[in-house]
Amino acid sequence: IWAIGAGMIALSALIWLGPRTVLAIGVLIIAGHDLLDPIRSASLGGAAPLWGLAHEAGLFRIAGRETFVAYPALPWIGIMALGYGLGGAFLKPEAARRRLLLWLGLAMLAGFVMLRSINVYGDPAPWSGQDTMAKTIMAFLRVSKYPPSLIYDLLTLGVAFCLLAWFERLKG
């Protein structure tokens, strides 16, 4: 929950930049934060806890206590900025909104399949073929949520946008 709170604090500053700029920042953070993975907190000395809070999950000494950081703030700030930047889409007429949500969802899912297939960027844990098709599919779908990777974001947000477009048709 703390990461969402940190995201709200960051968003309170970002909103002064305007929705399009916040959207661009959100996309940049989501697409690029995995580039920061090679930076390890162990190499940062006294700044290690700050890096852990921002980007790297793990156990850190914060305020004199061992604290486990499961949800670093930076990826969630990106997701929240993306959501804020897309807020205007929900003011569009229903048909246009559905088309946009479906297009975004399908584009994200296509990006997920493409990036996951090449196994080079977007998730710290590469997948590999297994001894059965079911296990191979599960390995392909097993993505890093702690912290959320680009691949995780593409998969979960892609499904969410497609479902939003579909649920929009339900009445009552």
Side-chain angles (χ1 to χ4, degrees), residues 76-91:
W76 295 106
I77 292 169
I79 291 168
M80 292 176 75
L82 177 77
Y84 179 84
L86 290 175
F90 292 91
L91 300 174

Side-chain angles (χ1 to χ4, degrees), residues 33-111:
H33 78 85
D34 288 322
L35 292 171
L36 301 172
D37 287 351
I39 301 171
R40 306 308 299 171
S41 61
S43 67
L44 298 176
L50 293 175
W51 185 247
L53 291 171
H55 183 70
E56 184 181 331
L59 192 61
F60 298 93
R61 181 163 288 288
I62 300 172
R65 294 181 56 196
E66 291 291 320
T67 305
F68 182 72
V69 176
Y71 288 103
L74 184 63
W76 295 106
I77 292 169
I79 291 168
M80 292 176 75
L82 177 77
Y84 179 84
L86 290 175
F90 292 91
L91 300 174
K92 294 182 178 287
E94 182 180 340
R97 182 173 56 242
R98 271 199 330 260
R99 265 193 316 277
L100 177 62
L101 289 171
L102 184 60
W103 182 87
L104 282 172
L106 293 175
M108 288 179 143
L109 291 172

Side-chain angles (χ1 to χ4, degrees), residues 104-114 154-159 162:
L104 282 172
L106 293 175
M108 288 179 143
L109 291 172
F112 162 77
V113 170
M114 181 196 70
L154 290 173
L155 177 60
T156 57
L157 294 174
V159 169
C162 288

Side-chain angles (χ1 to χ4, degrees), residues 112-133:
F112 162 77
V113 170
M114 181 196 70
L115 282 174
R116 194 64 168 157
S117 295
I118 62 174
N119 229 5
V120 173
Y121 179 74
D123 198 271
W127 71 281
S128 62
Q130 304 296 313
D131 56 350
T132 68
M133 179 61 80

